[in-house]
Each structure stands twice: as C-alpha cells, then as structure tokens.
Amino acid sequence: MTAAPRDVLMVLGIPALLIAPDHRIFATNAAAEKLLGKNIEGRHFITALRQPTLLDTIEQVQRDGTRRETRYLTNDGQHDITYRVTCGAVPMQGRQGVLVSFEDITPMEQAGQMRRDFVANVSHELRTPLTALLGFIETLQGPARNDAKAQERFLGIMGAEAERMNRLVSDLLSLSRVEAEERVRPAGQVDLGAMIEQTRHSLAQLADEAGIGMSVHLPPEPIVVPGDADQLRQILTNLVENAIKYSGKGAYIRISLGVPDYETRLRGQGVRIEVSDTGPGIDAVHLPRLTERFYRVDSHRSRELGGTGLGLAIVKHIVNRHRGRLQVESQLGKGTTFTVILPMDGRQD
C-alpha cells in the first residue's frame, strides 16, 4: 500500500481515499474526486469531508485501529444519496493511516423506505374499517341491543367495511403474486380480441347500472400475443372498471385494439390496447404517480367507490412482466386514455 497507494485505489470501483498519519489525505481515486471534489490530496481530512459523524469515525479509527462504518449523505442536485462509509486502519510510514471507502447504498435505503411506507399505508387502510367494525360491535352489544332498525343499519355498514377489508387483502395478495412472477416471462398465447370481448361482456351490466355507454373496436383478424391470459384480463378489467367508476353518468368508454406495428418504446413489433373515457379527466400533476401503491387522485371518493389504491400498481407490474409499456394521457374535462403496449414476440427487455 505504501509503495503505490494511488494505483491500488484506482483499481477500486467505489470512491476511496487514504488518510496519512499526519491527518492529511495522502491519495484518492477518480471516483472519490468526483464525489468529494478535485485537488483534495494534501489537505487535512477535516476540510475535505466535513460531516461530523464521518469525522468522528475516522478519529476513532486513528485512535484504536478498530474498523468502523458510518453514513455519508449528499445530493446530486436532484436526489439524496446515501453512502455506507467503511473506515479501516492501514500500516503506513511506520505508523497508522486510515483507508476510507464509500459504497452507494441509496437503492437499499429507498427499498427500506418503500417497505416502511407500505406497512404504514396497509396499517392505515386496515385501521379505518377495523375501528368502524369495533365501534359498531360495541354499539350492538350495548345501546342498540334491542333496536332492530339500528341493528339492521349497523350490520349493513359493518358488511360494507368487512368487504372493503376483503378487497384490500385480495389486492395485496394479487400484488404479491404479480411481483413474485415479474421476472418470469409468461409462456401462454392470448387472443386479445377474444379477451376484450369477454371483458366487455362481463362488465356490461356494471356499465349499464352506472349509466355509461361502452363500445369495442377490434381489427378484423385475430391478434395473438405471448402472455398470461388471467393477468392480461386483470389489466383490462381494472382499467375498464376504473373508467366506469370515475367517469360519471352519461360518459362513454371506448375499448380499442390496434393492429401490430413497430413500437419505438419496444424496439420491435407491438400492439396497443386503449381504454378511453369521456369522464372529467385527471390533472397532469397526478399522472406520474398513478401507479404508486395506495396513491389516489381523490382519496375520499376512491374509498367510497370501493377502491383500494392498488389496482394501477398491479397493472404496472403485470405490464412489466409482459415486457410491455403503460401510457396515460388525460385532459381535465375531456377524459382519460390508458394505453397498454404489448410486444408481439415476447423478447423485448
């Protein structure tokens, strides 16, 4: 190490620097200069590193030679970045230097935060109906014990809250299954036209009850793609049900299947399924976040209509599994169009 420290550091694929026994930075690699700035060699490490927790860790290693880890937080101008910093003693000039390396653990930190947010969201979504159920049970056991009308009304509300929890658990299980299979390419073959007709038929009554018109537009020849029939049907059912729920009475839904064509985003032949509605539309500020778990444009209305906030997250993962793309276009007052682009040969990555 003392013979050619810079050469050794240059081999490392992560930022690293060597602090000499006199507390000055003896050598760095290019990645460290990119992270901490150029021309830091020869400077006292306190002036180059600055963050108190890191400085304390280096000083402790200098004192007792024990390897330690800490965190180094920075920002690239757009995102926060977290580094795991490892500090270890290195024999140098007959004394003890410190080798400091930086490992970017931002993806792991983000994954951890996502898990924490997910648990918090699930807890919140379940707490509301559970609280309602417990309250009504207490009422039925007490003040409403002999009130038949109140019992009937409360039991109806309890049934709705229980069904809400059942939908949430069902969607959570579905999301879990889809995520587990996301890297496994589907091996089946799906006739998209037949699937669309089946979905339209199964949702026709729901559309009629909501006062919404619905039409299907298919090419004359069958379009067959590699895929999982149940999952692709789940995509279409979710998108059409959303259009029915949120478009409003008097709106119109159009389901169309295009003919195979070259798709730039797939870098190959693909086919488009579009679900368009003439509803109130979605503000552009919401579009980038629609497929996030539990994200709702209108939380209160969504819950009233039975939404769990997981439907479009499930759609996104299914589309990813099929190596496809999902697009959303919307204008306030003019409606929304969801487009699913699926590859024809299943080989796109």
Side-chain angles (χ1 to χ4, degrees), residues 260-309:
D261 198 0
Y262 181 84
E263 291 288 347
T264 303
R265 296 185 65 187
L266 299 180
R267 301 191 301 276
Q269 289 287 310
V271 63
R272 294 184 172 223
I273 301 172
E274 292 186 352
V275 177
S276 302
D277 65 65
T278 58
I282 304 169
D283 194 310
V285 71
H286 297 293
L287 297 183
R289 301 189 61 190
L290 286 180
T291 57
E292 292 181 15
R293 299 170 182 177
F294 297 110
Y295 186 82
R296 296 179 174 96
V297 175
D298 185 338
S299 297
H300 180 69
R301 187 180 177 208
S302 174
R303 290 190 178 94
E304 280 190 340
L305 295 173
T308 63

Side-chain angles (χ1 to χ4, degrees), residues 60 97-98 104 120 132 145 165 272 275 316 347:
Q60 290 169 359
V98 179
D104 187 351
R145 180 177 302 179
M165 285 193 294
R272 294 184 172 223
V275 177
K316 179 188 71 173
R347 292 179 299 181

